[in-house]
Amino acid sequence: KNEVEQSPQNLTAQEGEFITINCSYSVGISALHWLQQHPGGGIVSLFMLSSGKKKHGRLIATINIQEKHSSLHITASHPRDSAVYICAVLSGAGSYQLTFGKGTKLSVIP
Amino acid sequence: KAGVTQTPRYLIKTRGQQVTLSCSPISGHRSVSWYQQTPGQGLQFLFEYFSETQRNKGNFPGRFSGRQFSNSRSEMNVSTLELGDSALYLCASSLGGHQGPLHFGNGTRLTVT
């Protein structure tokens, strides 16, 4: 069983819809990253969080450490949000090992 | 500020050969980490360097190695290439550990024939 589970694997939405992508993990972590990967391979870091909630533009990320769960929300989705969203957990204080989810492929249709 | 630069962008090698990939981090970033991405396994952590020291290594065979120079530039080497080593190799830099977001390069796409 993968230590980091993302759901759904694939998501198709109409432009303007509210989107939620979920990430559950089984190990103790010190931080969690949400990454965005566009076709062609480039990866952009969206958020790094260890507690609570962060917001950047139309993107919101939340984490519940006790429940070992994080969500990424996209409000008013747009076709340019189409990408693969990847959750990655950073385990171990003082060490630096990222474990990745398999990603959620999002397609936003105009 | 220049981003993370990886060279080369594309590489084709034959089985048994070795390859060296390069990563130049954002100026001031002392941590460089390497990742392998394949369609089957997704993204996997290879290793991380901070101030020329390897702090952690993922579950990869000893054929995969790396180093970091005093200017924080990093190289990774894969010896005795296998077909399964075909992948996108990504590096990322950060201020170090938990100190900030990761900044990824565009990757080197390695094809082993």
Side-chain angles (χ1 to χ4, degrees):
Chain A
K1 186 177 185 294
N2 199 25
E3 292 179 344
V4 182
E5 298 282 349
Q6 283 187 240
S7 63
Q9 285 187 311
N10 294 282
L11 182 56
T12 300
Q14 292 289 329
E15 184 174 355
E17 284 186 4
F18 180 84
I19 289 162
T20 296
I21 298 170
N22 296 298
C23 175
S24 296
Y25 51 92
S26 57
V27 297
I29 69 166
S30 52
L32 181 144
H33 292 261
W34 280 104
L35 310 171
Q36 179 193 57
Q37 186 171 32
H38 282 282
I43 294 179
V44 175
S45 175
L46 298 175
F47 296 101
M48 188 187 76
L49 62 166
S50 54
S51 65
K53 176 179 173 178
K54 287 190 176 181
K55 184 175 188 291
H56 185 258
R58 296 179 295 106
L59 302 178
I60 303 166
T62 64
I63 188 169
N64 185 317
I65 295 292
Q66 286 74 28
E67 295 188 4
K68 293 187 168 64
H69 181 268
S70 177
S71 293
L72 176 68
H73 305 286
I74 304 175
T75 62
S77 59
H78 190 275
R80 64 175 174 265
D81 297 327
S82 298
V84 176
Y85 292 83
I86 302 167
C87 164
V89 300
L90 186 68
S91 55
S95 71
Y96 186 33
Q97 179 149 351
L98 276 180
T99 304
F100 297 87
K102 296 291 188 188
T104 295
K105 185 175 181 181
L106 171 65
S107 300
V108 181
I109 300 169
Chain B
K1 210 176 203 185
V4 178
T5 304
Q6 288 189 248
T7 56
R9 287 297 310 276
Y10 301 93
L11 206 47
I12 300 174
K13 291 285 189 179
T14 56
R15 277 180 297 177
Q17 287 186 314
Q18 74 164 17
V19 67
T20 299
L21 312 181
S22 179
C23 175
S24 294
I26 289 173
S27 178
H29 286 190
R30 295 164 68 188
S31 169
V32 174
S33 49
W34 289 90
Y35 308 90
Q36 181 196 65
Q37 186 175 38
T38 60
Q41 296 296 320
L43 271 164
Q44 293 182 280
F45 170 75
L46 279 159
F47 28 64
E48 187 250 352
Y49 288 87
F50 183 85
S51 294
E52 302 180 66
T53 299
Q54 185 183 90
R55 291 201 294 191
N56 215 331
K57 186 171 163 69
N59 189 25
F60 279 82
R63 300 185 297 108
F64 291 81
S65 63
R67 59 178 175 169
Q68 186 180 32
F69 302 96
S70 57
N71 62 357
S72 293
R73 190 178 72 83
S74 178
E75 289 180 347
M76 68 162 280
N77 183 275
V78 188
S79 62
T80 320
L81 284 165
E82 301 176 0
L83 295 178
D85 297 332
S86 295
L88 180 66
Y89 290 89
L90 292 150
C91 79
S93 76
S94 72
L95 286 172
H98 314 159
Q99 289 181 39
L102 300 171
H103 299 265
F104 284 83
N106 288 325
T108 294
R109 188 164 295 279
L110 171 66
T111 302
V112 182
T113 62

